[in-house]
Amino acid sequence: MSEQDIPRAIPNALPVGYRFNEFEIKEVIGGGGFGIVYRAWDHQLERTIAIKEFMPASLAVRNDDLTLVLRSERFSKTFHAGLNSFIQEARLLARFNHPNLLHVLRFWVQNDTAYMGTAFYTGTTLSQLHNRRPEMISEAWIRCLLPPLFGAINTIHREGYLHRDISLDNIQIQENGVPVLLDFGSARKAIGNLSDETETMLKPGFAPIEQYSDDNESEQGTWTDIYALGAVLHTLIVGSPPPVSVVRSIEDNYKPLVQLKPEGYSLPLLHAIDRALALQPEDRPQTVDQFAALMELSASDINEIHEVKVSGPGTMLVPVAEEEQPVPKATGLKRFMVPGLIAAGVLVGIGVGALIAGGGSDNSPQTAASSAPAATAAGTDAASSPTEVAKASAASSAVPAAAQPVETAAAPQAAEPPPPPEPVAQVYLKLLPGDKVAMNGNPQALVPSPNGFAMLQLPPGDYRFSVSNNGQTRSQTITVDSEGVWLLNPQS
């Protein structure tokens, strides 16, 4: 039994032994901000399956009769939007008959929520495989991985859909080495779009710039999934995702792989990944076939069907990770959504604030993203994603203990004052000509760069920014409690 197979205590989970007619829950496998995943036994067909339950922990709790109850009636619209998206995603996945796509057996509504029964896959996620056995990763291994993965993505695109959540956590590697592409994360998207209490938890480094935009439906396309897949390959090769696309839009510090020239990788493969990670959508390959051609894979290679082994005891779709904290939604003319950052083991939170224009009432204070990693769970966020009601501890610099008195006749020396906390956050502030900025009531002499952004480095703490111009003042309070990048746009 692997580490993933050890039962975990997941809040609000159904008890072991609970029955859905012929399905009996045997253990809880994963849980996060948007759902819970169970291993279950099908008594009718005598096989193991997986059951995913829509359970957004920030919106609802489990009642004594095991039904879900909203934390507040004001969450009703948001909860039902997410529930409907969960059901629609189950219907969509059930339409596909591709061995490298998650196979949905059935779905149903019960306990005032919805459930999805899927095949139970052996193996582990690409994320865990990369962390535990990095020596396996090579160009030859990647080129064996890509054809079935490309074929699965092509199947989605040809039906007119996008995945929008491709990452290492959403690719399951079977014991025979064949990948399976997991959930679409549509319930998270619906909740993030409607709720002031939760936010769509995009995976930083894997989400292209158009996914952070208000007008994302019209701007997204097949090139959106291609960017995410390029980020997966970038992570496999260099060990970390590319820089976050929102930060790249301010100052693009992406280092092309063809310049880094990692040992053992050919220039066609590296060039294809660099093209896939172009910041602007029009500069990327527009289809999977174009992406494959850049790395010298043929169309017949990527459309070949690869059988997937679905049998025996094994790990479910994703590992269990710690919970994430929901982030208040930003507002403004061109809002940016707030993902919790994870890159090369360094936890980074992007907080995106928008200041109130024209002297309106202040927004609620924003909080930095939780320090827990995110991982999605095939239609749920098994933090992931990925991300809940428990508050994350503030990230602060360690303070050394006071020096102990010296045991001599001399008077003990006074303890040295603790050093000031190190800056942990970079705050980018969009300014217009003539804007005057005050932070916590103290004027700031900020000089914006040519792109209009001024940058501050701040230690943990609470900050109130006031921007004055032409007799009008806009203000916003933010809380810095983890390392990351904050984008504030007072013009919104």
Side-chain angles (χ1 to χ4, degrees):
M1 179 175 286
S2 71
E3 178 183 332
Q4 284 178 251
D5 296 322
I6 300 173
R8 317 271 180 125
I10 301 294
N12 294 308
L14 291 168
V16 171
Y18 184 86
R19 292 285 294 264
F20 297 101
N21 294 324
E22 70 271 28
F23 302 142
E24 179 184 356
I25 290 178
K26 291 298 185 180
E27 70 171 319
V28 181
I29 294 177
F34 296 90
I36 302 174
V37 184
Y38 307 91
R39 178 174 65 85
W41 177 252
D42 184 342
H43 286 272
Q44 186 173 10
L45 298 179
E46 296 185 345
R47 62 178 177 178
T48 296
I49 69 167
I51 294 177
K52 283 153 287 179
E53 178 184 39
F54 178 66
M55 172 60 208
S58 61
L59 306 179
V61 294
R62 181 84 63 194
N63 207 349
D64 291 339
D65 62 0
L66 301 183
T67 60
L68 297 195
V69 179
L70 293 177
R71 294 181 179 272
S72 171
E73 283 302 317
R74 66 191 178 95
F75 295 146
S76 177
K77 180 179 179 181
T78 304
F79 177 88
H80 286 96
L83 181 64
N84 289 335
S85 291
F86 181 86
I87 294 172
Q88 292 303 318
E89 179 176 319
R91 289 188 174 128
L92 173 61
L93 286 168
R95 289 180 52 185
F96 296 126
N97 186 24
H98 193 285
N100 304 109
L101 279 174
L102 174 68
H103 182 44
V104 172
L105 305 172
R106 59 170 293 191
F107 63 90
W108 66 97
V109 175
Q110 192 169 329
N111 296 331
D112 293 330
T113 187
Y115 297 86
M116 186 191 308
T118 76
F120 187 91
Y121 298 97
T122 61
T124 186
T125 63
L126 184 55
S127 176
Q128 284 200 334
L129 184 67
H130 175 248
N131 290 334
R132 294 175 179 177
R133 301 192 61 187
E135 72 281 357
M136 287 184 57
I137 310 301
S138 66
E139 176 160 350
W141 188 88
I142 288 174
R143 287 186 175 274
C144 289
L145 175 76
L146 286 179
L149 199 55
F150 279 168
I153 298 171
N154 244 351
T155 298
I156 297 170
H157 289 177
R158 286 170 180 169
E159 290 293 323
Y161 297 98
L162 301 177
H163 190 284
R164 292 190 176 98
D165 198 21
I166 297 174
S167 71
L168 276 74
D169 291 312
N170 263 346
I171 298 172
Q172 183 87 358
I173 305 299
Q174 307 308 295
E175 290 178 345
N176 60 2
V178 178
V180 175
L181 185 60
L182 304 184
D183 71 298
F184 290 51
S186 56
R188 293 192 308 278
K189 180 178 184 295
I191 287 178
N193 285 346
L194 290 180
S195 177
D196 290 332
E197 302 298 327
T198 60
E199 183 58 87
T200 301
M201 302 309 294
L202 298 175
K203 291 183 176 64
F206 296 88
I209 187 65
E210 62 267 22
Q211 284 192 274
Y212 293 90
S213 166
D214 272 348
D215 196 25
N216 54 11
E217 292 298 332
S218 63
E219 294 175 355
Q220 293 183 41
T222 53
W223 49 85
T224 301
D225 285 343
I226 289 170
Y227 185 100
L229 187 55
V232 167
L233 299 177
H234 184 283
T235 305
L236 291 177
I237 292 174
V238 304
S240 61
V244 180
S245 58
V246 172
V247 178
R248 290 181 63 189
S249 68
I250 299 173
E251 182 179 358
D252 194 355
N253 56 353
Y254 174 72
K255 296 180 180 178
L257 294 180
V258 292
Q259 295 180 13
L260 294 176
K261 295 181 179 178
E263 185 177 355
Y265 292 92
S266 67
L267 286 180
L269 178 65
L270 300 179
H271 173 68
I273 297 171
D274 287 338
R275 285 282 306 277
L277 291 173
L279 187 60
Q280 300 304 321
E282 61 270 18
D283 295 332
R284 303 173 207 149
Q286 301 295 289
T287 66
V288 170
D289 290 345
Q290 290 179 13
F291 188 23
L294 286 174
M295 59 181 66
E296 300 178 352
L297 284 174
S298 68
S300 59
D301 289 334
I302 69 174
N303 292 314
E304 178 183 355
I305 297 297
H306 295 254
E307 292 299 326
V308 178
K309 179 181 178 183
V310 180
S311 63
T315 62
M316 176 43 193
L317 305 170
V318 295
V320 178
E322 296 182 17
E323 300 173 352
E324 294 179 359
Q325 176 183 346
V327 183
K329 190 171 184 178
T331 58
L333 180 64
K334 190 76 168 177
R335 297 190 297 267
F336 289 111
M337 297 182 289
V338 187
L341 276 182
I342 309 168
V346 179
L347 306 178
V348 182
I350 289 187
V352 181
L355 305 185
I356 295 180
S361 60
D362 291 345
N363 293 335
S364 299
Q366 292 187 349
T367 57
S370 165
S371 59
T376 53
T380 64
D381 187 348
S384 96
S385 152
T387 38
E388 298 156 14
V389 295
K391 290 290 184 180
S393 300
S396 57
S397 301
V399 179
Q404 298 296 320
V406 180
E407 296 182 0
T408 63
Q413 296 181 353
E416 295 182 1
E422 294 294 331
V424 297
Q426 289 183 337
V427 177
Y428 287 88
L429 188 64
K430 181 72 172 179
L431 299 178
L432 294 177
D435 279 347
K436 295 182 180 179
V437 182
M439 184 179 70
N440 293 343
N442 298 317
Q444 303 293 311
L446 300 181
V447 179
S449 62
N451 59 21
F453 281 91
M455 193 268 284
L456 290 168
Q457 290 187 319
L458 300 176
D462 296 325
Y463 299 94
R464 183 178 183 83
F465 291 90
S466 298
V467 179
S468 301
N469 198 342
N470 293 328
Q472 293 186 340
T473 300
R474 292 89 66 196
S475 62
Q476 173 69 46
T477 299
I478 65 171
T479 298
V480 174
D481 59 2
S482 65
E483 185 175 5
V485 179
W486 296 69
L487 306 178
L488 304 182
N489 188 353
Q491 318 315 324
S492 300

